[in-house]
């Protein structure tokens, strides 16, 4: 092969491609590494040119010069390559002054050593110029420079290649191809010559000479392919990686089948934190993902309570065919919320029932809602030309209210209509200036209601004062004078009277005005007669139009007549007259009806009070008579009991003496004696019970506050000791159960309480058969004490229990028929306990026994 004709063509082709690549890189100089790549291509183009000139030169000195220039490029290319690799992979931090200074110094040393090889006894072989048989390659044996070129420069080349290889696993597929093309092109130059030399040997001298040009041209073609097909330096892979890793939005790349082929950390953190999402279909990760996506598509989706804006950008190859898409998902929850808040604000602003205006500090209106247009009667455009104080009447404009206050102002519409408005102002920031939002509420109706309420309150106050005055007296005449005076003051009447019913007529009993004396009103005459017949109030604003009007005063022009009804019956009426009809209106008429209803009650109460006073005097007289009769009854009981007791004592005494000689009597006489003695003793007990009951009733008339403090426990024990012998005589089990402290303090009368205790114990022993059981208990609780006597006696039938505590009543059964008693004991006990503010306790089951007792409050 004629290599002499081939290498110029290779040289020209390689240089053109390399310069073109340098130009393309220069156009992309904003991309990281592009400027270094451009310099690299220029250095390679220079190396190619110098090598071609070296081969074609026929002069030895000129050949040496081209040789030295080529090796200068050889020394610079690894340095530029390393700088490019560092920038291309985002390792610019290593391009600090210290590393650059060190590398520059090494390369300058290499260049200096190469240029001074002659001084270092560099041995140059005599070259044979020519190509083919007449051309022998120019060789040189280096000493120091060759060692540096053989060791240091390959290390830089390998380091640059390693920098590109390491991050390739993180590169997207397209960018991975770009990096591979660059590395492959460099390896073609770096390893191509040794490999081809090893394959073909060193026999072909021309091939060895042209081989560097062939490899340089091939490397340039590979890079050209990368620029044209793969878009080398359009976007640096590390830039894509940095963007993907640091962008706060969720970014993913999907292919045409909607499979994820790349995703940044933000996406994985939010949507697929458990594992790498690459390879999954997008809908398997995001259920609500939009169905349709195009270049111009922008949609929103919800995911786990958050809202995201989805934007799509296509990725196309050099043929403009879409191969994949980049999707950016931005969290718009807050902005969506803010947008919704803005929409709500606008909706509230436009649909608010209250008027809203936005004003500057000098009260210039800059915005107003539709409610403000309705309130002021101006269009929005007209309002924006006004200041707020211009909407107020003249008397209001002079007194400016401080901004930020809540106040009430009148406003005037273009038609002159005046309305009352409540204004609430709040400052709002608008950049560097402060605006004020005014909320204006129409309170015209409320003010009218307030005025009416004040009027009503004034009327009620008058009624309250009238009630207070009337409550100080229940004299009927005085009540009517007060009522008529209040009616005239509240109605504005000039004269009036109150008439009360007497049979079918009414007599005027209280008057204010120049009325005749002793006026009697008939149901057939005048407006008053109409009211008496219908029981309906009448308001005559013009008495001249009333056909049945009967005048008592010549100046009367309007009349008001209201019936007084108490307990559903007509008791009288109020008549009010005036010479100024404008004072009588419907409101006054309604209030006078309310006043009349109250006056009717007060008059009725006063009349009832007078009747009650009379009845009370009669009752007091009757009470004194009853007390005299009661005292007489007491005296008679005492005299009778005393007079009966003396002969009974004499009779029972003689009978007891006769009983001592009973052996001398016959059996019939013994029976007669027993009967008389038993009857005498029974009458004696009845007299004692009657006297005890009378004494207790007399004590009840004494205030219980006079009871003294006493300890109940000793009286219980004393009663136990007193009746223990009686219980043992009947072979009864007589026991006590005391659950109380050593002192049980109550308030009461010891004589009465001891009588109640002994009465209950005596009854239990008396109504319990022999060998029975009687238990006396005293139990103290937090606020009271309970005393009970439980027996296993005969018990009381249920149908006789309700009358048990009535005086002189005894429950009678076959077992108790022969037991003596007066029927006053339990009645006496119940009275004693109730007067001590206590309660009785009673339970009984016929045939099983009974429990009697009481509960008394402890002393506080």
């Amino acid at each position: 092969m004629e290599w002499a004709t081939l290498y110029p063509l290779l040289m020209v082709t390689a240089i053109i491609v390399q310069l073109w690549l340098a130009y393309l890189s220069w156009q992309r100089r904003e991309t990281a590494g592009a400027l270094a790549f451009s310099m690299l291509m220029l250095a390679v183009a220079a190396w190619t040119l110098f090598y071609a000139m070296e081969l074609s030169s026929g002069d030895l000195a000129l050949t040496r010069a081209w040789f030295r220039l080529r090796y200068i490029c050889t020394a610079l290319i690894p340095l530029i390559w390393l700088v490019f690799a560092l920038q291309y992979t985002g390792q610019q931090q290593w391009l600090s002054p210290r590393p650059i200074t060190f590398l520059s110094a090494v390369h300058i040393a290499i260049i200096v050593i190469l240029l001074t090889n002659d001084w270092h006894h560099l041995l140059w072989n005599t070259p044979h110029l020519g190509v083919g048989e007449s051309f022998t390659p120019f060789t040189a044996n280096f000493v120091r420079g060759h060692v540096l070129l053989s060791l240091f420069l390959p290390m830089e080349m390998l380091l640059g290649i390693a920098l590109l290889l390491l991050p390739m696993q993180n590169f997207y597929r397209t960018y991975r191809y770009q990096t591979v093309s660059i590395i492959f092109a460099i390896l073609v130059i770096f390893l191509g010559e040794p490999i081809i030399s090893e394959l073909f040997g060193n026999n072909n001298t021309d091939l060895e000479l042209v081989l560097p040009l062939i490899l340089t041209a091939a490397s340039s073609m590979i890079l050209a392919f990368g620029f044209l097909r793969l878009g080398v330096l359009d976007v640096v892979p590390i830039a894509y990686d940095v963007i993907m890793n640091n962008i706060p939005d969720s970014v993913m790349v999907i292919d045409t089948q909607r499979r994820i082929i790349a995703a940044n950390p933000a996406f994985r953190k939010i949507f697929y934190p458990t594992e790498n999402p690459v390879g999954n279909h997008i809908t398997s990760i995001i259920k609500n993902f939009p169905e349709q996506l195009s270049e111009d598509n922008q949609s929103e989706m919800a995911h786990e309570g958050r809202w995201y804006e989805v934007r799509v950008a296509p990725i196309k190859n050099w043929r403009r065919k879409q191969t994949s898409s980049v999707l950016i998902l931005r969290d718009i929850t807050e902005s969506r919320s803010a947008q919704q808040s803005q929409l709500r604000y606008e909706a509230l602003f436009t649909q608010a029932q209250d008027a809203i205006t936005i004003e500057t500090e000098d009260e210039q209106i800059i915005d107003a809602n539709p409610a403000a247009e309705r309130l002021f009667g101006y269009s929005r455009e007209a309002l924006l030309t006004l200041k707020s104080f211009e909407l107020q009447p003249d008397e209001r404009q002079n007194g400016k209210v401080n901004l930020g206050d809540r106040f009430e102002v009148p406003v005037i519409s273009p038609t002159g209509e005046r309305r009352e408005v409540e204004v609430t102002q709040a400052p709002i920031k608008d950049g560097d200036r402060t605006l004020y939002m005014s909320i204006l509420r129409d309170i015209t109706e409320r003010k009218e209601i307030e005025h009416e309420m004040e009027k009503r309150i004034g009327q009620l106050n008058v009624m309250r004062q009238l009630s207070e005055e009337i409550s100080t007296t229940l004299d009927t005449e005085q009540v009517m004078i007060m009522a008529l005076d209040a009616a005239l003051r509240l109605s504005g009447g000039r004269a009036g009277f109150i008439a009360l019913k007497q049979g079918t007529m009414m007599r005027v009993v209280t008057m204010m005005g120049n009325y005749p004396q002793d006026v009697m009103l008939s149901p057939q005459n005048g407006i008053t007669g109409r009211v008496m017949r219908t029981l309906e109030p009448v308001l005559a604003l013009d008495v001249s139009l009333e056909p049945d009007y009967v005048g008592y005063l010549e100046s009367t022009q309007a009349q008001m007549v209201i019936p007084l009804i108490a307990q559903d019956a007509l008791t009288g009426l109020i008549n009010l007259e005036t010479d100024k009809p404008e004072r009588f209106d419907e409101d006054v008429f309604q209030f006078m009806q309310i006043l009349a209803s109250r006056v009717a009650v007060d008059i009725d109460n006063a009349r009832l009070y007078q009747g009650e006073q009379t009845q009370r005097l009669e009752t007091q007289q009757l009470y004194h008579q009853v007390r005299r009769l009661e005292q007489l009854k007491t005296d008679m009981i005492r005299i009778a009991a005393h007079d009966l007791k003396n002969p009974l004592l004499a009779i029972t005494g003689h009978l007891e003496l006769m009983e001592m000689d009973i052996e001398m009597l016959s059996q019939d006489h013994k029976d007669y004696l027993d009967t008389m003695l038993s009857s005498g003793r029974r009458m004696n007990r009845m007299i004692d019970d009657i006297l005890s009951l009378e004494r207790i009733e007399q004590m009840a008339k004494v205030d219980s506050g006079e009871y003294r403090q006493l300890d109940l426990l000793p009286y219980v024990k004393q009663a136990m000791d007193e009746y223990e012998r009686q219980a043992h005589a009947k072979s009864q089990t007589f026991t006590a159960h005391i659950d109380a402290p050593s002192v049980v303090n109550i308030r009461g009368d010891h004589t009465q309480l001891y009588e109640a205790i002994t009465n209950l114990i005596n009854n239990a022993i008396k109504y319990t058969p022999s060998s029975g059981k009687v238990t006396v208990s005293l139990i103290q609780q937090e606020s009271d004490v309970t005393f009970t006597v439980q027996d296993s006696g005969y018990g009381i039938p249920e149908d006789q229990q309700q009358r048990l505590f009535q005086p002189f009543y005894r429950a009678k059964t076959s077992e108790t028929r022969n037991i003596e008693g007066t029927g006053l004991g339990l009645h006496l006990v119940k009275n004693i306990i109730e007067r001590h503010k206590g309660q009785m306790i009673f339970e009984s089951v016929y045939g099983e026994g009974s429990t009697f007792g009481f509960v008394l409050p402890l002393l506080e």
Side-chain angles (χ1 to χ4, degrees):
M1 184 177 183
E2 294 294 334
W3 297 106
T5 59
L6 179 61
Y7 83 85
L9 180 61
L10 291 174
M11 175 196 70
V12 174
T13 302
I15 291 175
I16 291 174
V17 174
Q18 291 157 5
L19 292 176
W20 176 70
L21 292 174
Y23 172 73
L24 292 180
S25 302
W26 173 258
Q27 286 185 325
R28 294 162 174 77
R29 57 186 176 275
E30 299 298 329
T31 305
L35 188 59
F37 192 83
S38 179
M39 295 177 63
L40 179 65
M41 290 297 100
L42 290 175
V44 172
W47 183 92
T48 304
L49 177 62
F50 294 152
Y51 186 70
M53 297 304 296
E54 177 186 347
L55 292 179
S56 61
S57 176
D59 183 68
L60 180 59
L62 189 58
T63 300
R64 288 181 177 178
W66 294 119
F67 173 79
R68 290 177 178 176
L69 290 175
R70 179 167 63 88
Y71 268 87
I72 291 174
C73 293
T74 303
L76 291 176
I77 286 174
L79 177 60
I80 299 173
W81 165 254
L82 182 60
V83 172
F84 163 74
L86 289 171
Q87 292 180 344
Y88 192 75
T89 57
Q91 304 294 329
Q92 293 93 335
Q93 68 271 19
W94 293 104
L95 298 176
S96 60
R98 286 187 179 182
I100 291 297
T101 302
F102 171 74
L103 294 174
S104 300
V106 172
H107 284 268
I108 290 173
I110 294 173
I111 293 172
V112 170
I113 292 173
L114 288 174
L115 295 178
T116 58
N117 271 334
D118 291 342
W119 300 346
H120 294 282
H121 309 288
L122 183 63
L123 301 178
W124 297 85
N125 293 326
T126 302
H128 297 279
L129 301 178
V131 177
E133 295 180 356
S134 61
F135 184 79
T136 303
F138 177 76
T139 59
N141 295 323
F142 300 104
V143 181
R144 298 177 179 84
H146 185 72
V147 173
L148 291 173
L149 285 172
S150 301
L151 296 178
F152 189 78
L153 298 184
M155 289 177 59
E156 286 185 323
M157 295 296 291
L158 292 174
L159 179 59
I161 293 172
L163 288 173
L164 293 177
L165 288 174
L166 289 176
M168 276 185 60
Q169 59 180 346
N170 297 324
F171 291 170
Y172 174 58
R173 181 174 56 189
T174 301
Y175 303 121
R176 192 180 300 128
Y177 294 160
Q178 295 176 2
T179 306
V180 169
S181 67
I182 296 173
I183 295 174
F184 185 69
I186 296 301
L187 290 176
V188 167
I189 299 175
F190 190 67
L191 299 176
E193 184 175 356
I195 293 173
I196 293 176
S197 298
E198 185 67 26
L199 292 175
F200 294 99
N202 298 324
N203 299 325
N204 195 335
T205 304
D206 291 341
L207 179 60
E208 291 185 33
L209 292 175
V210 183
L211 184 58
L213 288 176
I214 296 174
L215 295 177
T216 302
S219 175
S220 300
M221 294 302 175
I222 294 172
L223 291 175
F225 173 80
F227 269 84
L228 293 175
R229 183 66 181 270
L230 302 177
V232 173
L233 294 182
D234 286 346
V235 177
V236 179
I238 194 64
Y240 163 81
D241 190 54
V242 169
I243 292 173
M244 290 286 284
N245 288 334
N246 295 288
I247 191 171
D249 296 333
S250 299
V251 181
M252 62 176 170
V253 181
I254 61 175
D255 59 15
T256 55
Q257 302 300 320
R258 297 194 134 202
R259 291 172 299 195
I260 300 174
I261 58 177
N264 71 335
F267 177 87
R268 293 195 294 269
K269 180 179 180 181
I270 296 175
F271 296 98
Y272 211 68
T274 56
E275 56 184 280
N276 191 348
V278 174
N280 291 286
H281 198 275
I282 184 62
T283 56
S284 66
I285 297 176
I286 306 176
K287 305 298 183 183
N288 299 326
F289 195 79
E291 290 293 334
Q292 300 296 329
L293 289 175
S294 62
E295 294 186 22
D296 300 327
N297 188 32
Q298 177 180 335
S299 57
E300 296 180 358
M301 71 171 193
H303 180 74
E304 295 184 356
R306 307 288 294 180
W307 280 92
Y308 297 89
E309 178 189 70
V310 183
R311 291 178 178 268
V312 60
I315 299 177
K316 300 181 180 180
N317 57 16
W318 66 282
R319 294 180 180 177
R320 308 302 298 171
K321 181 180 180 181
Q322 183 173 345
T323 59
S324 56
S325 300
V326 176
L327 282 80
I328 302 176
L329 290 82
R330 175 166 295 175
D331 191 335
I332 59 170
T333 305
E334 284 72 19
S335 61
R336 182 185 176 92
S337 177
Q339 183 180 12
Q340 292 176 347
S341 298
Q342 178 67 20
L343 293 175
R344 286 195 295 269
Y345 166 77
E346 293 176 357
L348 289 173
F349 185 78
T350 56
Q351 299 177 14
Q353 297 299 315
D354 293 335
I356 302 176
T357 61
I358 308 297
E359 307 167 13
T360 61
E361 291 187 351
D362 61 352
E363 300 187 49
Q364 176 65 49
I365 300 174
I366 62 174
D367 200 0
N369 69 339
E373 300 180 59
R374 296 191 297 270
L375 175 65
F376 295 115
Y378 291 90
S379 65
R380 182 175 180 274
E381 292 73 15
L383 286 173
L384 299 186
T385 64
L386 300 174
K387 294 188 176 183
S388 59
F389 61 81
E390 295 176 344
L391 300 170
Q392 303 168 15
D394 294 338
E395 70 271 15
R396 184 62 196 169
Q397 293 182 18
N398 297 328
K400 182 180 178 181
V401 179
N402 293 329
L403 293 176
D405 293 344
R406 174 178 289 191
F407 50 90
E408 297 177 0
V409 296
V411 296
I412 303 296
S413 68
T415 60
E417 182 183 5
R418 182 188 180 103
R419 304 193 70 82
E420 295 293 331
V421 174
E422 179 187 74
V423 183
T424 303
Q425 286 187 327
I428 54 178
K429 296 298 292 184
D430 183 29
D432 296 333
R433 64 174 180 170
T434 301
L435 302 178
Y436 292 88
M437 181 175 67
S438 299
I439 301 176
L440 304 97
R441 176 168 295 177
D442 189 346
I443 58 172
T444 305
E445 184 177 352
R446 192 187 78 186
K447 297 294 286 187
E448 294 175 353
I449 295 174
E450 289 178 355
H451 177 71
E452 185 66 24
M453 288 182 62
E454 290 177 358
K455 179 180 177 182
R456 295 300 184 190
I457 290 172
Q459 294 173 343
L460 293 175
N461 284 334
V462 173
M463 290 191 65
R464 179 181 57 81
Q465 295 174 1
L466 176 62
S467 298
E468 292 177 353
E469 292 174 359
I470 291 177
S471 64
T472 60
T473 178
L474 287 175
D475 181 76
T476 304
E477 184 178 355
Q478 189 67 23
V479 168
M480 288 188 292
I481 292 174
M482 293 179 181
L484 182 59
D485 178 67
L488 289 173
R489 284 191 287 113
L490 292 173
S491 65
R494 186 178 65 85
F497 60 76
I498 296 178
L500 297 181
K501 189 176 182 180
Q502 287 187 356
T504 59
M505 305 287 285
M506 281 196 181
R507 177 183 295 276
V508 175
V509 294
T510 302
M511 66 179 68
M512 290 185 182
N514 193 20
Y515 291 98
Q517 298 295 323
D518 297 327
V519 177
M520 295 293 293
L521 304 178
S522 171
Q524 284 75 33
N525 297 327
I527 298 176
T528 56
R530 191 196 315 169
V531 172
M532 291 170 63
R533 293 192 308 272
T534 63
L535 302 183
E536 295 292 334
V538 174
L539 172 61
L541 297 177
D542 188 353
V543 295
S544 63
L545 301 177
E546 300 293 333
D548 57 352
Y549 172 70
V550 175
Y552 296 101
L553 301 176
E554 295 182 356
S555 60
T556 297
Q557 296 186 21
Q559 184 178 12
M560 187 186 301
V561 182
I562 303 169
L564 299 177
I565 299 176
Q567 300 182 14
D568 298 329
L570 179 66
T571 61
L573 57 80
I574 295 179
N575 176 74
L576 303 175
E577 302 179 34
T578 182
D579 56 355
K580 297 180 179 180
E582 66 274 7
R583 293 185 177 180
F584 286 1
D585 56 23
E586 191 64 31
D587 288 341
V588 172
F589 183 55
Q590 293 292 335
F591 183 71
M592 286 300 105
Q593 294 180 54
I594 297 174
L595 179 65
S597 63
R598 176 58 191 269
V599 169
V601 173
D602 291 335
I603 293 174
D604 190 59
N605 289 340
R607 297 172 72 178
L608 289 175
Y609 176 74
Q610 290 180 347
E612 289 176 357
Q613 288 293 94
T614 303
Q615 187 177 4
R616 183 174 64 83
L617 293 175
E618 295 175 353
T619 303
Q620 286 179 348
Q621 295 176 357
L622 181 62
Y623 174 73
H624 290 305
Q625 294 178 1
V626 170
R627 287 193 64 182
R628 287 196 298 269
L629 292 174
E630 184 179 359
Q631 185 63 39
L632 179 61
K633 183 252 321 180
T634 302
D635 293 340
M636 290 179 64
I637 290 175
R638 288 177 178 174
I639 292 171
H642 184 269
D643 291 344
L644 288 172
K645 197 171 184 66
N646 288 334
L648 278 175
L649 288 174
I651 292 172
T652 54
H654 287 84
L655 291 173
E656 288 175 354
L657 291 175
M658 292 176 64
E659 190 179 20
M660 295 175 63
D661 299 327
I662 194 170
E663 298 297 333
M664 300 174 60
L665 301 176
S666 64
Q667 185 61 41
D668 292 338
H669 291 119
K670 289 180 181 181
D671 294 337
Y672 297 151
L673 180 62
D674 289 338
T675 301
M676 288 186 293
L677 187 58
S678 174
S679 298
R681 289 172 179 170
R682 182 184 179 193
M683 289 183 66
N684 192 32
R685 283 194 298 273
M686 290 178 65
I687 292 172
D688 288 340
D689 287 343
I690 291 172
L691 292 176
S692 295
L693 182 60
E694 177 65 19
R695 184 178 69 254
I696 296 303
E697 289 178 352
Q698 291 298 322
M699 289 181 179
K701 299 174 184 178
V702 181
D703 187 3
S704 61
E706 296 183 3
Y707 288 163
R708 297 180 180 180
Q709 176 181 340
L710 60 88
D711 182 6
L712 187 63
L713 185 58
Y715 299 103
V716 174
K717 293 181 177 180
Q718 180 181 348
M720 290 283 294
D721 294 340
E722 180 177 346
Y723 284 91
E724 184 177 8
R725 187 181 309 165
Q726 182 178 341
H728 289 167
K730 296 183 67 173
S731 300
Q732 296 173 345
T733 302
F734 189 60
T735 59
H737 173 64
I738 307 297
D739 185 6
S742 58
V743 177
V744 181
N745 287 325
I746 62 172
R747 183 180 297 277
D749 179 76
H750 65 91
T751 302
Q752 298 180 54
L753 292 175
Y754 185 74
E755 188 167 356
I757 293 170
T758 56
N759 203 314
L760 294 179
I761 295 176
N762 181 50
N763 281 351
I765 295 174
K766 183 166 58 174
Y767 291 98
T768 300
S770 299
S771 302
K773 182 178 181 180
V774 177
T775 302
V776 178
S777 300
L778 184 68
I779 302 173
Q780 179 175 327
Q781 289 85 21
E782 292 183 1
S783 59
D784 52 42
V785 60
T786 301
F787 173 80
T788 57
V789 181
Q790 184 178 8
D791 63 64
S792 59
Y794 304 113
I796 302 170
E798 187 174 353
D799 58 347
Q800 301 183 32
Q801 292 180 6
Q802 291 183 350
R803 299 179 59 193
L804 194 61
F805 292 95
Q806 294 180 1
F808 300 105
Y809 178 80
R810 294 184 64 221
K812 296 180 180 180
T813 64
S814 58
E815 295 88 355
T816 63
R817 189 176 305 277
N818 296 324
I819 299 177
E820 296 181 354
T822 62
L824 290 174
L826 290 178
H827 176 67
L828 179 66
V829 173
K830 185 174 184 293
N831 285 342
I832 292 173
I833 298 306
E834 289 178 350
R835 286 160 191 160
H836 282 76
K837 299 181 180 179
Q839 294 180 345
M840 287 297 297
I841 297 175
F842 164 63
E843 291 181 3
S844 182
V845 178
Y846 181 61
E848 296 182 7
S850 304
T851 299
F852 286 88
F854 54 79
V855 179
L856 293 175
L858 292 172
L859 182 66
E860 297 180 355

